Amino acid sequence: MNDTQQGAATAREATPMVSISRLNKWYGDFHVLRDIDLTVARGERIVICGPSGSGKSTLIRCINHLEAHQQGEIVVNGIPMTNDVKRIEQIRRNVGMVFQHFNLFPHLTVLENCCLSPIWVQKKPRREAEKSAMEYLERVRIANQAHKYPGQLSGGQQQRVAIARALCMHPEVMLFDEPTSALDPEMIKEVLDVMIELAHEGMTMLCVTHEMGFARTVADRVIFMDEGQIVESAAPETFFNEPRSSRTQEFLGQILGH
Amino acid sequence: MSAIARDTDESLIASRPPPTPQGGVMYWLRTRLFSGPVNSVVSIVTLLLIVRLVWPVIDWALIQADWVGSSRADCTSEGACWVFISTRWSQIVYGFYPLAERWRVDIVLGLFFALIAWLVIPRLPGKKSVALMGLVGLPIIAWVLLLGGMFGLPHVPTRAWGGLMLTLTIAAVGIVGSLPLGVVLALGRRSKMPLVRAVCVIFIEFWRGVPLITVLFMSSVMLPLFVPANVEFDKLLRALIGIMLFWSAYMAEVVRSGLQAIDKGQGEAGAALGLGYWLRMRLIILPQALKLVIPGIVNTFIALFKDTSLVLIIGLFDVLSIIQAGLTDSDWLGFAIEGYVFAALVFWVFCFGMSRYSQSLERRLHTGH
């Protein structure tokens, strides 16, 4: 490798995966996101928690423009977000997302769900897309269900398919929007296990969740949001053992107390 | 605490087969119709009433009816005179289409029914490509063959068209044209762009607000006033466009009801996968929405099919009006019942067919959610 190449590679490594500055968003008069500043490094795993209505879902939905923001800047993988449709779609190709309610396409089989984007967006040949999709389905341990429809699977299986579907686009960063809160308790672990594996492979992750065990195990940083602001941001050790803000202490007391 | 522990039985109850249902015709009759003295009397009275009402119809239409012959003199019995229909059969199918050219209609009708059979019979492969070929190919073939005036085929003006071939032409063009137009209008009405939305709302509300008869009158009487005199604008074509636009407004609302039923998360998941608006609609939203509103779509198709007979008010002779015209023939006065019953039967066969097809389609597209 010569110097210029090495320089370029280092520069790429140095650019943050996601950088958000002075982000503001309103729903009508309601100020949901207030002066958010957040930089996510490559390979960093961030867990976002906070009471409901604190804007945590809205924040990660802004990163792939499922929600439009009114003020501030978002740069994803070096691409600044604008309102231009082509630009938005370019960013979305780099960003995988997993939803609370899975949002699998019920009229397509598991395999077709996974191949949709590779075939139509990345223009891969069907055979190649299916081969790669089967590899991802194998990784989330659901390859034997590939030809079933989502309606025939359990919640935990559906969510694992949803993760595989997002991975099939080879995203640079994964967004998880409360991926386990719609699941029955006995299915939460199978989904978290897949997410933990993903974290160990070095995927950049932003995860809205109340699974504090997951946060302790894999997060590099835990962020606490309340009333549209980032109240506290710290490594899990510090976050759980010596939270600075009283609102964080109160929140942790509520969810860990019982 | 200890009480609960004592009550807990660690052994699980083994699974048992369900009780065998009692079957058979006799069992069904005994439990459903003759389960007691009062019910038995009611059942018998009802059965007698049904026989009393239905039997005369069967007697008239089938048993006492005259089937063969060439004039009303052959109708000697008490029952229906189907000779009226059989002597006029060719007019009912072809209208006033020239005798020597009727093979052209036969080919088009043959292709039309073959296409439908291919789509309806589940075992036959390649439904998608056959449907696509039919949608693109058949109209062109039908256009060339029926109208003529090219490839050495003599021109047959549309005023000579009539009967079943005209009914099917209008219905097919109306159905094939109104569905895609309705889908576009439904998407437009949900668009985020104010101008697109406004245009679609105005279009839908205008066409939905006027009666079809008015549309047909306007297409045949008013439109020529706005078109330069030297431009020949075929009457059938005008009626077809009117019918298509009219029904597309209804279709748009049916499709929109399906679009509204699709969870927002579906579109968001598509967007998150990098799919653009049209791909999201085509691959994710519309397949689900259209499947959901198959009953509504087919309902509209059936209404459209039956309303094709309204073209009689602008002087086009569909299957109903050509039978009606036959009734005024002085040789055949007094056979109105046979004529109308037959016309009703023709419409019923096609409409019932569509209804059955929609049900089997729904079953086939069901994916267990």
Side-chain angles (χ1 to χ4, degrees), chain B residues 65-254:
Chain B
D66 289 296
W67 297 89
V68 281
S70 53
S71 74
R72 67 181 302 158
D74 295 312
C75 288
T76 49
S77 66
E78 296 283 300
C81 179
W82 297 122
V83 179
F84 169 66
I85 301 298
S86 56
T87 53
R88 298 191 160 265
W89 177 251
S90 70
Q91 207 181 46
I92 290 172
V93 175
Y94 303 99
F96 312 108
Y97 213 84
L99 264 176
E101 307 297 327
R102 284 185 181 175
W103 59 271
R104 285 151 59 174
V105 181
D106 291 335
I107 292 179
V108 173
L109 285 179
L111 285 173
F112 177 71
F113 286 117
L115 175 70
I116 287 182
W118 195 288
L119 294 179
V120 168
I121 299 170
R123 265 173 310 161
L124 296 174
K127 295 255 185 288
K128 262 186 197 159
S129 39
V130 170
L132 202 68
M133 255 157 46
L135 278 180
V136 180
L138 193 60
I140 296 170
I141 296 171
W143 177 271
V144 170
L145 276 175
L146 294 181
L147 206 58
M150 43 197 128
F151 306 117
L153 296 168
H155 177 67
V156 179
T158 55
R159 61 174 179 277
W161 299 19
L164 189 62
M165 65 151 289
L166 181 68
T167 297
L168 290 179
T169 305
I170 298 171
V173 171
I175 285 172
V176 170
S178 66
L179 184 58
L181 197 55
V183 169
V184 171
L185 285 168
L187 292 176
R189 194 167 182 165
R190 284 165 59 84
S191 166
K192 286 199 194 89
M193 290 177 270
L195 184 66
V196 174
R197 194 169 57 232
V199 167
C200 291
V201 169
I202 291 168
F203 183 97
I204 292 169
E205 296 305 336
F206 172 78
W207 288 99
R208 221 159 43 133
V210 290
L212 182 54
I213 293 193
T214 318
V215 173
L216 291 172
F217 266 134
M218 288 204 302
S219 76
S220 105
V221 182
M222 260 173 67
L223 203 64
L225 298 179
F226 303 112
V227 178
N230 54 354
V231 178
E232 175 84 46
F233 205 177
D234 190 85
K235 186 159 78 175
L236 176 62
L237 184 63
R238 278 177 281 159
L240 285 176
I241 292 171
I243 287 170
M244 211 165 76
L245 298 180
F246 178 85
W247 286 105
S248 69
Y250 279 85
M251 204 55 83
E253 290 298 282
V254 172

Side-chain angles (χ1 to χ4, degrees), chain B residues 272-291:
Chain B
L273 287 171
L275 296 161
Y277 175 83
W278 290 106
L279 278 179
R280 279 199 310 269
M281 292 302 136
R282 200 179 114 199
L283 300 170
I284 300 166
I285 308 295
L286 280 174
Q288 295 183 60
L290 291 178
K291 185 174 77 177

Side-chain angles (χ1 to χ4, degrees), chain A residues 104-110 112-113 147-153 158, chain B residues 266 287-288 291-292 360-369:
Chain A
L104 293 177
F105 308 129
H107 61 302
L108 301 176
T109 63
V110 164
E112 286 166 341
N113 263 278
H147 296 286
K148 284 193 180 169
Y149 287 98
Q152 298 165 307
L153 304 183
Q158 290 195 42
Chain B
Q266 292 289 308
Q288 295 183 60
K291 185 174 77 177
L292 217 54
S360 83
L361 201 60
E362 273 177 72
R363 272 196 303 275
R364 225 181 314 150
L365 295 177
H366 187 69
T367 57
H369 54 276

Side-chain angles (χ1 to χ4, degrees), chain B residues 2-21:
Chain B
S2 59
I4 295 170
R6 217 177 301 141
D7 282 348
T8 310
D9 188 355
E10 285 300 314
S11 66
L12 290 165
I13 298 169
S15 151
R16 287 190 299 266
T20 32

Side-chain angles (χ1 to χ4, degrees), chain A residues 156-188:
Chain A
Q157 290 174 322
Q158 290 195 42
Q159 194 61 299
R160 284 185 282 144
V161 172
I163 294 172
R165 178 176 73 178
L167 291 175
C168 282
M169 304 154 54
H170 307 292
E172 303 265 349
V173 52
M174 287 282 285
L175 309 174
F176 292 85
D177 188 2
E178 304 204 27
T180 56
S181 22
L183 295 174
D184 289 335
E186 76 267 26
M187 292 169 183
I188 291 177

